[in-house]
Each structure stands twice: as C-alpha cells, then as structure tokens.
Amino acid sequence: MKHLMPKLPYSLGALAPTISEETLEYHYGKHLKTYVDNLNKLIAGTLYEDMDLAEIVCKASGAVFNNAAQAWNHEFYFAALSPVAKTISPKLGSLIVKSFGSLQDFKEKLLGSATALFGAGWTWLVAQDDGTLAIVNETNAGNPMTRGLRPMLTIDVWEHAYYIDYRNRRADYLKAIWELIDWDVVEQRLSDDECNVYI
Ligand code: MN
C-alpha cells in the first residue's frame, strides 16, 4: 500500500503568526513528505508493504520504524491544531483534573516536560490502562503505542517545528502552541478505536 500525505484540516497560512506559513511549508511540505516518500521506498517488496501505518509503527524497527513513526506522529500532531481557539470540555477537563490535580498543573507538566526533553523528540498526552491520563516524552521518532499507551495528543519538539519562527526559544513555541490545541480532537481520541488496534 502506498502511503499518502495526510490532508491538513487548515491552510498552510491559517496558524500564523503562531506557526508561520513558511514553517508549515517546510515542516509539512518537506519534512513530512520526506518521511512518507522514504517509507514508501523502504517497504516496497517487504512484509510491511500491505500494513497500515499504525501496524508498521507497532511492528517495525530501524529505518522502517523511524520513517513510519515520523509519518504517523506528524499526522497526529497536525490534526490536533486549530486556527480557531478551542476550550477543554467538562468531560475531558474532569479526566485531566483526576489525572493531574488541576488544569493549571496539567498545562505546567505538559509544557515543562516538552521544554525539558533533551534533543529531538515528542511530548505526548496518553491514556493508560486504568483510564487515567499521563505525560510521556519520546526521543527521535518514538511513539508510545509501542509501549501499550493510547496517544491523545503530541507536541513536536524537533527544532524544525519551531526554529524558523522561534529560533532557539522552544519554551516560547510551546507557550504559543498551547493556544492552538484542538481539544475537541483530543477528546475524540478517547473513543477512537483506530488508536487502539495494535496496543
Ligand atoms: Mn516535525
């Protein structure tokens, strides 16, 4: 199966000035496209050829894993950003409070974890087996599905995600991108079977 570029639910300029059109031209149009193109080349004629992306992420290693996970992670990241401000619903909010103590504690823990991640990687909000939420960091192409955790939200902290707009100021990028998170999409992922097929 040939993997295709995911469609963005907004135009390349829609998240500016928080995320500029130039950043998305590179991040979506070049970085993500390279991962998708590399994946298609790597899986041709292999046992991964007919698997969907999540299955490859859960079963592959090495270069196939790296390119598949980067493709999956970026689609998941871009899909939960919105040019329209969203609020956390009472249902998701009460789960966050149960898991982290308060919404403010959750925000500080999520952004603090992303700020502290050394080098390239992703900060994730995940649902655990007991139904509570947790925050985990993954380096490079890491994806928590491979550890049996259900992804709810991810924040890309590779430098290519923010260097055009924020240079080395990762904390400023994180503070700004918090305002773009589409909490409706995050909440839908609580009941989205697609995330749970291979874990
Ligand atoms: Mn990226």
Side-chain angles (χ1 to χ4, degrees), residues 140-168:
N140 298 318
N143 182 304
M145 282 195 296
T146 61
R147 297 192 276 136
L149 298 165
R150 174 194 281 247
M152 303 278 296
L153 170 72
T154 192
I155 300 178
D156 190 343
V157 294
W158 284 57
E159 284 184 345
H160 66 226
Y162 59 87
Y163 222 82
I164 291 171
D165 298 324
Y166 298 90
R167 299 300 176 190
N168 61 328

PDB file of all heavy atoms in Angstrom, residues 140-168:
ATOM      1  N   ASN A 140      13.514  11.188  19.401  1.00  0.00           N
ATOM      2  CA  ASN A 140      13.568  10.909  17.955  1.00  0.00           C
ATOM      3  C   ASN A 140      12.182  10.597  17.408  1.00  0.00           C
ATOM      4  O   ASN A 140      11.290  11.410  17.530  1.00  0.00           O
ATOM      5  CB  ASN A 140      14.605   9.824  17.670  1.00  0.00           C
ATOM      6  CG  ASN A 140      15.998  10.297  18.097  1.00  0.00           C
ATOM      7  OD1 ASN A 140      16.353  11.443  17.864  1.00  0.00           O
ATOM      8  ND2 ASN A 140      16.762   9.439  18.747  1.00  0.00           N
ATOM      9  N   ALA A 141      11.973   9.395  16.816  1.00  0.00           N
ATOM     10  CA  ALA A 141      10.670   9.078  16.227  1.00  0.00           C
ATOM     11  C   ALA A 141       9.745   8.340  17.200  1.00  0.00           C
ATOM     12  O   ALA A 141       8.688   7.871  16.792  1.00  0.00           O
ATOM     13  CB  ALA A 141      10.866   8.234  14.970  1.00  0.00           C
ATOM     14  N   GLY A 142      10.109   8.239  18.459  1.00  0.00           N
ATOM     15  CA  GLY A 142       9.386   7.404  19.418  1.00  0.00           C
ATOM     16  C   GLY A 142       7.881   7.636  19.449  1.00  0.00           C
ATOM     17  O   GLY A 142       7.407   8.765  19.280  1.00  0.00           O
ATOM     18  N   ASN A 143       7.141   6.554  19.678  1.00  0.00           N
ATOM     19  CA  ASN A 143       5.679   6.623  19.723  1.00  0.00           C
ATOM     20  C   ASN A 143       5.202   5.720  20.864  1.00  0.00           C
ATOM     21  O   ASN A 143       5.552   4.539  20.905  1.00  0.00           O
ATOM     22  CB  ASN A 143       5.100   6.155  18.381  1.00  0.00           C
ATOM     23  CG  ASN A 143       3.585   6.242  18.362  1.00  0.00           C
ATOM     24  OD1 ASN A 143       2.906   5.679  19.206  1.00  0.00           O
ATOM     25  ND2 ASN A 143       3.058   6.963  17.389  1.00  0.00           N
ATOM     26  N   PRO A 144       4.396   6.242  21.801  1.00  0.00           N
ATOM     27  CA  PRO A 144       4.007   5.463  22.989  1.00  0.00           C
ATOM     28  C   PRO A 144       3.091   4.278  22.700  1.00  0.00           C
ATOM     29  O   PRO A 144       2.890   3.434  23.576  1.00  0.00           O
ATOM     30  CB  PRO A 144       3.326   6.497  23.884  1.00  0.00           C
ATOM     31  CG  PRO A 144       2.896   7.586  22.958  1.00  0.00           C
ATOM     32  CD  PRO A 144       3.884   7.611  21.835  1.00  0.00           C
ATOM     33  N   MET A 145       2.525   4.184  21.478  1.00  0.00           N
ATOM     34  CA  MET A 145       1.741   2.980  21.131  1.00  0.00           C
ATOM     35  C   MET A 145       2.594   1.729  21.278  1.00  0.00           C
ATOM     36  O   MET A 145       2.080   0.660  21.599  1.00  0.00           O
ATOM     37  CB  MET A 145       1.269   3.040  19.673  1.00  0.00           C
ATOM     38  CG  MET A 145       0.090   3.924  19.437  1.00  0.00           C
ATOM     39  SD  MET A 145      -0.668   3.621  17.805  1.00  0.00           S
ATOM     40  CE  MET A 145       0.611   4.081  16.666  1.00  0.00           C
ATOM     41  N   THR A 146       3.908   1.889  21.038  1.00  0.00           N
ATOM     42  CA  THR A 146       4.792   0.721  21.105  1.00  0.00           C
ATOM     43  C   THR A 146       4.973   0.241  22.536  1.00  0.00           C
ATOM     44  O   THR A 146       5.542  -0.821  22.768  1.00  0.00           O
ATOM     45  CB  THR A 146       6.179   1.047  20.509  1.00  0.00           C
ATOM     46  OG1 THR A 146       6.776   2.100  21.274  1.00  0.00           O
ATOM     47  CG2 THR A 146       6.068   1.495  19.061  1.00  0.00           C
ATOM     48  N   ARG A 147       4.523   1.049  23.514  1.00  0.00           N
ATOM     49  CA  ARG A 147       4.583   0.652  24.927  1.00  0.00           C
ATOM     50  C   ARG A 147       3.193   0.414  25.490  1.00  0.00           C
ATOM     51  O   ARG A 147       2.983   0.432  26.705  1.00  0.00           O
ATOM     52  CB  ARG A 147       5.287   1.741  25.748  1.00  0.00           C
ATOM     53  CG  ARG A 147       6.732   1.939  25.324  1.00  0.00           C
ATOM     54  CD  ARG A 147       7.484   2.792  26.328  1.00  0.00           C
ATOM     55  NE  ARG A 147       7.299   4.207  26.112  1.00  0.00           N
ATOM     56  CZ  ARG A 147       7.060   5.093  27.072  1.00  0.00           C
ATOM     57  NH1 ARG A 147       6.927   4.683  28.325  1.00  0.00           N
ATOM     58  NH2 ARG A 147       6.941   6.374  26.797  1.00  0.00           N
ATOM     59  N   GLY A 148       2.210   0.256  24.620  1.00  0.00           N
ATOM     60  CA  GLY A 148       0.861  -0.064  25.083  1.00  0.00           C
ATOM     61  C   GLY A 148       0.079   1.118  25.615  1.00  0.00           C
ATOM     62  O   GLY A 148      -0.931   0.939  26.294  1.00  0.00           O
ATOM     63  N   LEU A 149       0.519   2.328  25.310  1.00  0.00           N
ATOM     64  CA  LEU A 149      -0.193   3.523  25.757  1.00  0.00           C
ATOM     65  C   LEU A 149      -0.980   4.112  24.589  1.00  0.00           C
ATOM     66  O   LEU A 149      -0.539   4.065  23.450  1.00  0.00           O
ATOM     67  CB  LEU A 149       0.804   4.561  26.292  1.00  0.00           C
ATOM     68  CG  LEU A 149       1.614   4.105  27.504  1.00  0.00           C
ATOM     69  CD1 LEU A 149       2.816   5.028  27.734  1.00  0.00           C
ATOM     70  CD2 LEU A 149       0.727   4.064  28.746  1.00  0.00           C
ATOM     71  N   ARG A 150      -2.157   4.667  24.886  1.00  0.00           N
ATOM     72  CA  ARG A 150      -3.014   5.215  23.822  1.00  0.00           C
ATOM     73  C   ARG A 150      -2.732   6.711  23.658  1.00  0.00           C
ATOM     74  O   ARG A 150      -2.991   7.500  24.560  1.00  0.00           O
ATOM     75  CB  ARG A 150      -4.480   5.014  24.187  1.00  0.00           C
ATOM     76  CG  ARG A 150      -5.440   5.675  23.215  1.00  0.00           C
ATOM     77  CD  ARG A 150      -6.840   5.731  23.806  1.00  0.00           C
ATOM     78  NE  ARG A 150      -7.490   4.447  23.688  1.00  0.00           N
ATOM     79  CZ  ARG A 150      -8.554   4.234  22.914  1.00  0.00           C
ATOM     80  NH1 ARG A 150      -9.077   5.218  22.213  1.00  0.00           N
ATOM     81  NH2 ARG A 150      -9.104   3.059  22.853  1.00  0.00           N
ATOM     82  N   PRO A 151      -2.219   7.121  22.497  1.00  0.00           N
ATOM     83  CA  PRO A 151      -1.906   8.540  22.291  1.00  0.00           C
ATOM     84  C   PRO A 151      -3.165   9.411  22.225  1.00  0.00           C
ATOM     85  O   PRO A 151      -4.159   9.036  21.592  1.00  0.00           O
ATOM     86  CB  PRO A 151      -1.186   8.561  20.940  1.00  0.00           C
ATOM     87  CG  PRO A 151      -0.792   7.152  20.669  1.00  0.00           C
ATOM     88  CD  PRO A 151      -1.818   6.298  21.342  1.00  0.00           C
ATOM     89  N   MET A 152      -3.110  10.546  22.908  1.00  0.00           N
ATOM     90  CA  MET A 152      -4.217  11.519  22.877  1.00  0.00           C
ATOM     91  C   MET A 152      -3.801  12.818  22.205  1.00  0.00           C
ATOM     92  O   MET A 152      -4.612  13.500  21.583  1.00  0.00           O
ATOM     93  CB  MET A 152      -4.641  11.860  24.319  1.00  0.00           C
ATOM     94  CG  MET A 152      -5.050  10.678  25.162  1.00  0.00           C
ATOM     95  SD  MET A 152      -6.729  10.219  24.845  1.00  0.00           S
ATOM     96  CE  MET A 152      -7.576  11.687  25.417  1.00  0.00           C
ATOM     97  N   LEU A 153      -2.535  13.186  22.392  1.00  0.00           N
ATOM     98  CA  LEU A 153      -2.025  14.470  21.882  1.00  0.00           C
ATOM     99  C   LEU A 153      -0.513  14.359  21.810  1.00  0.00           C
ATOM    100  O   LEU A 153       0.100  13.719  22.675  1.00  0.00           O
ATOM    101  CB  LEU A 153      -2.393  15.597  22.870  1.00  0.00           C
ATOM    102  CG  LEU A 153      -1.753  16.976  22.639  1.00  0.00           C
ATOM    103  CD1 LEU A 153      -2.365  17.645  21.404  1.00  0.00           C
ATOM    104  CD2 LEU A 153      -1.960  17.874  23.863  1.00  0.00           C
ATOM    105  N   THR A 154       0.078  14.965  20.789  1.00  0.00           N
ATOM    106  CA  THR A 154       1.539  15.027  20.773  1.00  0.00           C
ATOM    107  C   THR A 154       1.998  16.422  20.385  1.00  0.00           C
ATOM    108  O   THR A 154       1.327  17.121  19.621  1.00  0.00           O
ATOM    109  CB  THR A 154       2.149  13.975  19.823  1.00  0.00           C
ATOM    110  OG1 THR A 154       3.557  13.910  20.061  1.00  0.00           O
ATOM    111  CG2 THR A 154       1.891  14.287  18.359  1.00  0.00           C
ATOM    112  N   ILE A 155       3.121  16.820  20.958  1.00  0.00           N
ATOM    113  CA  ILE A 155       3.747  18.103  20.601  1.00  0.00           C
ATOM    114  C   ILE A 155       5.136  17.808  20.052  1.00  0.00           C
ATOM    115  O   ILE A 155       5.955  17.153  20.705  1.00  0.00           O
ATOM    116  CB  ILE A 155       3.837  19.043  21.816  1.00  0.00           C
ATOM    117  CG1 ILE A 155       2.435  19.326  22.361  1.00  0.00           C
ATOM    118  CG2 ILE A 155       4.528  20.350  21.416  1.00  0.00           C
ATOM    119  CD1 ILE A 155       2.426  20.219  23.592  1.00  0.00           C
ATOM    120  N   ASP A 156       5.364  18.284  18.844  1.00  0.00           N
ATOM    121  CA  ASP A 156       6.646  18.083  18.167  1.00  0.00           C
ATOM    122  C   ASP A 156       7.657  19.064  18.742  1.00  0.00           C
ATOM    123  O   ASP A 156       7.444  20.277  18.687  1.00  0.00           O
ATOM    124  CB  ASP A 156       6.437  18.342  16.665  1.00  0.00           C
ATOM    125  CG  ASP A 156       7.624  17.943  15.807  1.00  0.00           C
ATOM    126  OD1 ASP A 156       8.726  17.759  16.346  1.00  0.00           O
ATOM    127  OD2 ASP A 156       7.429  17.831  14.576  1.00  0.00           O
ATOM    128  N   VAL A 157       8.743  18.543  19.313  1.00  0.00           N
ATOM    129  CA  VAL A 157       9.792  19.446  19.801  1.00  0.00           C
ATOM    130  C   VAL A 157      11.111  19.272  19.038  1.00  0.00           C
ATOM    131  O   VAL A 157      12.164  19.676  19.514  1.00  0.00           O
ATOM    132  CB  VAL A 157      10.014  19.353  21.332  1.00  0.00           C
ATOM    133  CG1 VAL A 157       8.792  19.855  22.073  1.00  0.00           C
ATOM    134  CG2 VAL A 157      10.362  17.966  21.785  1.00  0.00           C
ATOM    135  N   TRP A 158      11.026  18.657  17.849  1.00  0.00           N
ATOM    136  CA  TRP A 158      12.190  18.730  16.965  1.00  0.00           C
ATOM    137  C   TRP A 158      12.415  20.212  16.607  1.00  0.00           C
ATOM    138  O   TRP A 158      11.447  20.965  16.445  1.00  0.00           O
ATOM    139  CB  TRP A 158      11.932  17.942  15.670  1.00  0.00           C
ATOM    140  CG  TRP A 158      12.009  16.448  15.780  1.00  0.00           C
ATOM    141  CD1 TRP A 158      11.277  15.647  16.613  1.00  0.00           C
ATOM    142  CD2 TRP A 158      12.847  15.577  15.009  1.00  0.00           C
ATOM    143  NE1 TRP A 158      11.616  14.329  16.409  1.00  0.00           N
ATOM    144  CE2 TRP A 158      12.582  14.260  15.422  1.00  0.00           C
ATOM    145  CE3 TRP A 158      13.792  15.784  13.998  1.00  0.00           C
ATOM    146  CZ2 TRP A 158      13.214  13.156  14.881  1.00  0.00           C
ATOM    147  CZ3 TRP A 158      14.432  14.681  13.442  1.00  0.00           C
ATOM    148  CH2 TRP A 158      14.147  13.382  13.892  1.00  0.00           C
ATOM    149  N   GLU A 159      13.655  20.605  16.448  1.00  0.00           N
ATOM    150  CA  GLU A 159      13.918  22.019  16.151  1.00  0.00           C
ATOM    151  C   GLU A 159      13.211  22.481  14.870  1.00  0.00           C
ATOM    152  O   GLU A 159      12.823  23.649  14.760  1.00  0.00           O
ATOM    153  CB  GLU A 159      15.428  22.280  16.036  1.00  0.00           C
ATOM    154  CG  GLU A 159      16.100  22.312  17.403  1.00  0.00           C
ATOM    155  CD  GLU A 159      17.571  22.673  17.330  1.00  0.00           C
ATOM    156  OE1 GLU A 159      18.149  22.631  16.233  1.00  0.00           O
ATOM    157  OE2 GLU A 159      18.135  22.980  18.396  1.00  0.00           O
ATOM    158  N   HIS A 160      13.030  21.577  13.900  1.00  0.00           N
ATOM    159  CA  HIS A 160      12.390  22.010  12.651  1.00  0.00           C
ATOM    160  C   HIS A 160      10.948  22.479  12.877  1.00  0.00           C
ATOM    161  O   HIS A 160      10.375  23.150  12.031  1.00  0.00           O
ATOM    162  CB  HIS A 160      12.466  20.915  11.565  1.00  0.00           C
ATOM    163  CG  HIS A 160      11.682  19.672  11.854  1.00  0.00           C
ATOM    164  ND1 HIS A 160      12.182  18.398  11.690  1.00  0.00           N
ATOM    165  CD2 HIS A 160      10.414  19.494  12.292  1.00  0.00           C
ATOM    166  CE1 HIS A 160      11.259  17.511  12.000  1.00  0.00           C
ATOM    167  NE2 HIS A 160      10.179  18.147  12.366  1.00  0.00           N
ATOM    168  N   ALA A 161      10.350  22.103  14.025  1.00  0.00           N
ATOM    169  CA  ALA A 161       8.972  22.513  14.311  1.00  0.00           C
ATOM    170  C   ALA A 161       8.882  23.993  14.686  1.00  0.00           C
ATOM    171  O   ALA A 161       7.815  24.603  14.558  1.00  0.00           O
ATOM    172  CB  ALA A 161       8.388  21.660  15.440  1.00  0.00           C
ATOM    173  N   TYR A 162       9.987  24.568  15.167  1.00  0.00           N
ATOM    174  CA  TYR A 162       9.894  25.945  15.687  1.00  0.00           C
ATOM    175  C   TYR A 162      11.034  26.863  15.313  1.00  0.00           C
ATOM    176  O   TYR A 162      10.973  28.064  15.574  1.00  0.00           O
ATOM    177  CB  TYR A 162       9.746  25.912  17.219  1.00  0.00           C
ATOM    178  CG  TYR A 162      10.879  25.231  17.968  1.00  0.00           C
ATOM    179  CD1 TYR A 162      12.023  25.936  18.340  1.00  0.00           C
ATOM    180  CD2 TYR A 162      10.807  23.881  18.309  1.00  0.00           C
ATOM    181  CE1 TYR A 162      13.059  25.310  19.035  1.00  0.00           C
ATOM    182  CE2 TYR A 162      11.840  23.253  18.992  1.00  0.00           C
ATOM    183  CZ  TYR A 162      12.961  23.963  19.361  1.00  0.00           C
ATOM    184  OH  TYR A 162      13.971  23.357  20.039  1.00  0.00           O
ATOM    185  N   TYR A 163      12.089  26.371  14.672  1.00  0.00           N
ATOM    186  CA  TYR A 163      13.289  27.195  14.537  1.00  0.00           C
ATOM    187  C   TYR A 163      13.097  28.406  13.617  1.00  0.00           C
ATOM    188  O   TYR A 163      13.680  29.461  13.853  1.00  0.00           O
ATOM    189  CB  TYR A 163      14.489  26.351  14.072  1.00  0.00           C
ATOM    190  CG  TYR A 163      15.744  26.743  14.828  1.00  0.00           C
ATOM    191  CD1 TYR A 163      15.998  26.232  16.100  1.00  0.00           C
ATOM    192  CD2 TYR A 163      16.636  27.666  14.298  1.00  0.00           C
ATOM    193  CE1 TYR A 163      17.120  26.612  16.812  1.00  0.00           C
ATOM    194  CE2 TYR A 163      17.766  28.046  15.008  1.00  0.00           C
ATOM    195  CZ  TYR A 163      18.008  27.522  16.267  1.00  0.00           C
ATOM    196  OH  TYR A 163      19.106  27.913  16.983  1.00  0.00           O
ATOM    197  N   ILE A 164      12.273  28.291  12.587  1.00  0.00           N
ATOM    198  CA  ILE A 164      12.041  29.440  11.697  1.00  0.00           C
ATOM    199  C   ILE A 164      11.349  30.564  12.466  1.00  0.00           C
ATOM    200  O   ILE A 164      11.713  31.732  12.341  1.00  0.00           O
ATOM    201  CB  ILE A 164      11.193  29.009  10.470  1.00  0.00           C
ATOM    202  CG1 ILE A 164      12.019  28.091   9.561  1.00  0.00           C
ATOM    203  CG2 ILE A 164      10.692  30.236   9.704  1.00  0.00           C
ATOM    204  CD1 ILE A 164      11.214  27.433   8.448  1.00  0.00           C
ATOM    205  N   ASP A 165      10.367  30.220  13.299  1.00  0.00           N
ATOM    206  CA  ASP A 165       9.566  31.241  13.988  1.00  0.00           C
ATOM    207  C   ASP A 165      10.132  31.642  15.344  1.00  0.00           C
ATOM    208  O   ASP A 165       9.958  32.779  15.774  1.00  0.00           O
ATOM    209  CB  ASP A 165       8.136  30.725  14.198  1.00  0.00           C
ATOM    210  CG  ASP A 165       7.435  30.451  12.885  1.00  0.00           C
ATOM    211  OD1 ASP A 165       7.675  31.202  11.924  1.00  0.00           O
ATOM    212  OD2 ASP A 165       6.661  29.482  12.815  1.00  0.00           O
ATOM    213  N   TYR A 166      10.756  30.718  16.045  1.00  0.00           N
ATOM    214  CA  TYR A 166      11.154  30.983  17.443  1.00  0.00           C
ATOM    215  C   TYR A 166      12.657  30.807  17.685  1.00  0.00           C
ATOM    216  O   TYR A 166      13.108  30.943  18.811  1.00  0.00           O
ATOM    217  CB  TYR A 166      10.375  30.061  18.395  1.00  0.00           C
ATOM    218  CG  TYR A 166       8.885  30.302  18.336  1.00  0.00           C
ATOM    219  CD1 TYR A 166       8.083  29.591  17.443  1.00  0.00           C
ATOM    220  CD2 TYR A 166       8.273  31.261  19.132  1.00  0.00           C
ATOM    221  CE1 TYR A 166       6.721  29.827  17.346  1.00  0.00           C
ATOM    222  CE2 TYR A 166       6.913  31.510  19.064  1.00  0.00           C
ATOM    223  CZ  TYR A 166       6.138  30.778  18.163  1.00  0.00           C
ATOM    224  OH  TYR A 166       4.789  31.028  18.084  1.00  0.00           O
ATOM    225  N   ARG A 167      13.397  30.494  16.598  1.00  0.00           N
ATOM    226  CA  ARG A 167      14.839  30.211  16.750  1.00  0.00           C
ATOM    227  C   ARG A 167      15.061  29.199  17.867  1.00  0.00           C
ATOM    228  O   ARG A 167      14.457  28.168  17.865  1.00  0.00           O
ATOM    229  CB  ARG A 167      15.620  31.525  16.966  1.00  0.00           C
ATOM    230  CG  ARG A 167      15.477  32.489  15.790  1.00  0.00           C
ATOM    231  CD  ARG A 167      16.002  31.859  14.517  1.00  0.00           C
ATOM    232  NE  ARG A 167      15.779  32.742  13.363  1.00  0.00           N
ATOM    233  CZ  ARG A 167      15.960  32.386  12.109  1.00  0.00           C
ATOM    234  NH1 ARG A 167      16.319  31.146  11.830  1.00  0.00           N
ATOM    235  NH2 ARG A 167      15.749  33.223  11.133  1.00  0.00           N
ATOM    236  N   ASN A 168      15.890  29.515  18.869  1.00  0.00           N
ATOM    237  CA  ASN A 168      16.186  28.547  19.920  1.00  0.00           C
ATOM    238  C   ASN A 168      15.208  28.606  21.092  1.00  0.00           C
ATOM    239  O   ASN A 168      15.385  27.895  22.078  1.00  0.00           O
ATOM    240  CB  ASN A 168      17.617  28.771  20.448  1.00  0.00           C
ATOM    241  CG  ASN A 168      17.780  30.151  21.040  1.00  0.00           C
ATOM    242  OD1 ASN A 168      17.140  31.100  20.573  1.00  0.00           O
ATOM    243  ND2 ASN A 168      18.608  30.280  22.050  1.00  0.00           N
TER     244      ASN A 168
END
